[in-house]
Amino acid sequence: MAVNLSSIKDLLLPGLRGVEGKYEMIPSQYDKIFTKHDSKMALERTAEMRYLGLAQLKTEGAQTSFDNGAGERYVYNQEHTEIALGYAITRKAMLLSVQHPTQLMVVLLLTLLQHRLT
C-alpha cells in the first residue's frame, strides 16, 4: 500500500520538531565469522584442494614414495544477490510536500539512514 497523506500528515505540517522511530536492531554477526571480498561477478567458485603429503625419507637404492591423492576435493559456489526495499507514495502526498520540502527530505533521509544501519 502506498504512503498517503493520512499516514504522514504530521510530518508535513509546520512546527515539526523531530522524527523518531525504531526498527528492531539486530547486530551484524557475519563480519565476525566471514571475510568480506569485493566482486564484479554474479557467480564465483572456490575450490578446495588436497595437497601433497609430507616428503618421506628414503635410503639409497630404495623406492621413492608417491602421493597420488592430491587434487580438487570440494567446489563451493557463491551466488551474489541484491537486497532492496522500497516504498510508494501517492501523488497528492508528494504535491503537498512541496509546500514543506525540508521536512519531507528529513523524513526520507532518516528512513534511509535507519535502513543502512540495520
Side-chain angles (χ1 to χ4, degrees):
M1 186 170 161
V3 176
N4 56 28
L5 286 176
S6 64
S7 61
I8 61 169
K9 64 181 177 186
D10 292 324
L11 302 177
L12 300 174
L13 295 175
L16 180 66
R17 189 176 129 222
V19 178
E20 293 182 9
K22 288 193 174 189
Y23 290 97
E24 290 187 27
M25 300 297 255
I26 301 171
S28 65
Q29 297 177 356
Y30 72 91
D31 53 349
K32 297 176 183 87
I33 301 169
F34 301 104
T35 305
K36 183 179 172 185
H37 300 281
D38 292 332
S39 175
K40 294 182 180 177
M41 300 179 74
L43 178 71
E44 291 185 62
R45 300 173 72 123
T46 302
E48 184 177 312
M49 301 289 292
R50 183 191 179 280
Y51 299 113
L52 295 174
L54 297 174
Q56 304 291 319
L57 291 176
K58 79 175 201 89
T59 58
E60 186 179 344
Q63 65 183 12
T64 302
S65 297
F66 287 89
D67 183 359
N68 296 328
E72 190 177 283
R73 293 292 182 255
Y74 302 103
V75 176
Y76 303 98
N77 293 327
Q78 295 91 33
E79 186 172 348
H80 303 286
T81 58
E82 186 174 338
I83 300 170
L85 176 67
Y87 66 93
I89 187 167
T90 62
R91 183 176 302 178
K92 189 172 182 180
M94 287 299 292
L95 291 174
L96 188 59
S97 67
V98 172
Q99 296 173 3
H100 307 288
T102 56
Q103 292 175 350
L104 184 63
M105 290 306 295
V106 167
V107 171
L108 294 176
L109 286 173
L110 286 174
T111 303
L112 288 172
L113 287 173
Q114 285 177 347
H115 276 52
R116 282 198 143 189
L117 294 175
T118 58

